[in-house]
Amino acid sequence: MSANQAPSIIWFRQDLRIHDNPALQTAIERGGPVVPVFIYDEKGEGKWGFGGASKWWLHHALNDLSSQLDDYGLRLIIRRGKSGEELKRLLKDSGAEAVFWNRRYEPDVIKRDKLIKESLTSEGFEAKSFNASLVFEPWEIKNKSGKPFQVFTPYWKHCMQQKIAPPVSVDHQQAKAPKQWPDSLAVEELALLPDIGWDTGFYDAWTPTTAAARQRLGKLAASNASGYTKNRDRPDMDGTSRLSPYLHFGQIGPREVFAAFDKHDSDGTKGARKFLSEIGWREFSHHLLFHFPHTPTEPLREEFNHFPWEMDEAYLQAWQKGETGYPIVDAGMRQLWATGWMHNRVRMIVASLLVKHLQIPWQEGARWFWDTLVDADLANNTQGWQWSAGCGADAAPYFRVFNPILQGEKFDPNGDYVREWVPELRPLDTKVIHQPWEADLDQLGGVVIGRDYPAPIIDHKQGRNRALQSYEKLKALRSK
């Protein structure tokens, strides 16, 4: 069978969309039938297999992708097993002579994909990968010394001087189906959904489809993200984009984000510029992960290998359950458990309490987020936790300790966020809702601290002072 007649496999991974998909467009342009494939390969993910919340999202995203492909006469073939072995089986079953996919940037996945490409090429198959999930490839952006950036502001300034490619136009109408489809599992056979119904609240919080992502992006871009700068730090308001899980699973791409704002003159508002810089922070996180692949488990700043972390299981469990006695922290942790997501400002507050007040290793927080976030992304998760611990890039001042009381009062001024997620505190007077242990009986509205809601597991001043002392010890070690 000639090249322009032989089928091509499009291997879907974290690019679960049919628009702005260069691998899919290349398969269509090749001329032969197109065989869309998803392989559930948990071992191929290395140390970072899908967490529980991510599996929930993946289940629904795969169903959504399958429905989109159906509209063009294509089927999503689903397999489970080692990616390389399954691809070779599919090549044999379908008679395909080429495999196209879009790149991922996690260290273990890079190693796996490299071996797969080498193996397929050595056997005479065409194997090509493309960029669908980033605006800039990590190896393309270098500082004046030719090295990777480690500070965000100069990184993003440099990026904004580069040309941003438009979304890839995919001619779906030209896609051809094979005469016979290979065998496939049903999405349900992957058993991605939990056996117990802890995910009930996810369905109210999310619609894991490409259509929902594009609708949310369109609304944000049409307003030029007006109010984003002002409201993005308010967890009691719908002031963020909530596009993170859609971006992680590739139901929408960053090139589409920039293109959407270009249509609405993105230079016109501070909100638009600020929002696009958050896309830049995502790019920066992938830049760091690619160049420093050890960072998911080890600090970027080597001296933090000597930081005096103190592992305390009781503290960790209280934090995980949202029972720390700090209302803004507990609200965030309960929102996370109920919806698979947490407001970004609150993520910083809860992380600060864990790694600074309690001095529990940042890796413990990263693991919990990995399992409970629907937008769990190795690059973003790693960068966020290392920033919070002070051991990563752009972490100055690394010794900053968030005050959970003041943070609550500033960013949840009416206590609405706390009341939503910590219902036992709803009767409290707004003046004391962020530090209920200081309230008198009238302000508590019948709530008993220590019975209905816990007292703080650590005093703020005590935790802050202990953290600063630990940073001073680390500083002394560095100077030796």
Side-chain angles (χ1 to χ4, degrees), residues 327 334 414-437 439-449 451-453:
R334 296 184 195 187
N414 300 315
D416 294 338
Y417 179 71
V418 166
R419 288 191 178 90
E420 180 178 3
W421 296 109
V422 190
E424 59 266 42
L425 295 182
R426 285 175 186 166
L428 267 66
D429 190 307
T430 298
K431 294 179 181 178
V432 296
I433 198 166
H434 291 293
Q435 47 181 337
W437 60 91
D440 58 35
L441 290 177
D442 291 338
Q443 293 172 316
L444 284 169
V447 175
V448 177
I449 301 302
R451 183 193 70 185
D452 303 317
Y453 182 73

Side-chain angles (χ1 to χ4, degrees), residues 11-12 37-41 79 81-83 86-87 90:
W11 178 22
F12 285 97
V37 171
F38 178 84
I39 302 170
Y40 187 59
D41 178 10
R79 296 287 179 92
K82 293 183 179 180
S83 297
E86 289 301 322
L87 285 172
L90 284 160

